[in-house]
C-alpha cells in the first residue's frame, strides 16, 4: 500500500467517527466529533497538496518543482476555524454543565409536539402564518417609521440638490468633447 492510500483510509475513518460522534446527544461527544472532522479535513487537504517540492518563492526554481501553496493556506484556515468552533463548543459545554449538571441536550415539550405532528399539519400552519403576514411584509410599514429617508435641500440647508448623479446622459444631448 502506498502512503497516500493509507492517508485516505485514515481520513475516511476520521470522517466516519466524527460524523458518528456528532450525532450523539452529549455535547462533549459533539466536540470530539467536530475535532475529528477538523483533523480529517486537514488530512484531506494534505492529500490534495500532492507530492512535496521546493518552497514556492520567486526565483527558487521552476514552477514544476514547487509545492502548491493553496492547500497549505486552506489547512491553516481549517485549523483556525476548528479552534474557534471548539472554543465556542467548550463554552457551551461549560454553561450547560453550570445550569443543569449535565452536558446532554434534552427534548423539550415543543420538540416532542412538532415531531408528533404530521407533515400536512405543519404545512397548513405555515400557510396560515403566511396568509396573515401578507399585509405587512416589512417591519417598517408606515412612512414615519421607515429607516431610510431621502433628504433634500428643503429639509436641511447644507444639502445641494445639484450634485452629480449616476444617471445616463440623454441621447439627444451632446456630450462633452463632441464636435457639433
Amino acid at each position: 500500500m502506498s502512503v497516500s492510500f493509507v492517508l485516505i483510509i485514515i481520513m475516511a475513518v476520521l470522517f466516519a467517527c466524527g460524523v458518528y460522534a456528532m450525532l450523539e446527544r452529549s455535547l462533549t461527544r459533539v466536540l470530539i466529533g467536530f475535532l475529528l472532522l477538523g483533523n480529517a479535513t486537514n488530512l484531506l487537504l494534505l492529500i490534495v497538496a500532492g507530492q512535496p517540492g521546493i518552497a514556492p518563492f520567486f526565483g527558487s526554481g521552476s514552477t514544476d518543482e514547487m509545492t502548491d501553496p493553496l492547500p497549505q493556506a486552506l489547512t491553516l484556515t481549517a485549523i483556525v476555524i476548528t479552534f474557534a468552533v471548539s472554543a465556542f463548543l467548550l463554552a457551551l459545554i461549560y454553561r450547560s454543565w453550570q445550569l443543569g449538571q449535565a452536558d446532554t441536550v434534552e427534548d423539550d415539550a415543543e420538540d416532542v409536539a412538532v415531531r408528533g405532528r404530521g407533515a400536512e399539519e405543519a404545512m397548513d400552519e405555515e400557510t396560515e402564518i403566511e396568509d396573515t403576514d401578507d399585509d405587512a411584509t416589512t417591519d417598517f410599514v408606515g412612512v414615519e417609521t421607515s429607516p431610510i429617508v431621502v433628504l433634500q435641500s428643503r429639509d436641511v440647508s447644507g444639502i445641494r440638490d445639484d450634485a452629480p448623479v449616476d444617471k445616463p446622459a440623454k441621447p439627444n444631448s451632446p456630450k462633452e468633447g463632441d464636435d457639433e
Side-chain angles (χ1 to χ4, degrees), residues 62-144:
S62 69
T63 55
D64 296 336
E65 299 171 350
M66 292 184 187
T67 302
D68 187 14
L70 183 63
Q72 296 172 11
L74 291 175
T75 303
L76 286 174
T77 304
I79 290 169
V80 170
I81 291 171
T82 302
F83 177 74
V85 174
S86 299
F88 178 70
L89 282 172
L90 280 172
L92 282 178
I93 292 168
Y94 179 71
R95 185 67 177 155
S96 174
W97 186 261
Q98 275 185 334
L99 293 176
Q101 297 299 319
D103 69 339
T104 57
V105 179
E106 300 293 330
D107 283 338
D108 59 350
E110 186 65 28
D111 287 340
V112 174
V114 168
R115 193 179 310 134
R117 293 190 306 193
E120 293 178 9
E121 293 176 20
M123 290 298 292
D124 291 340
E125 286 184 13
E126 288 178 11
T127 306
E128 290 173 9
I129 292 172
E130 289 174 0
D131 291 342
T132 58
D133 287 345
D134 283 343
D135 296 337
T137 57
T138 180
D139 293 338
F140 305 102
V141 177
V143 177
E144 303 84 26

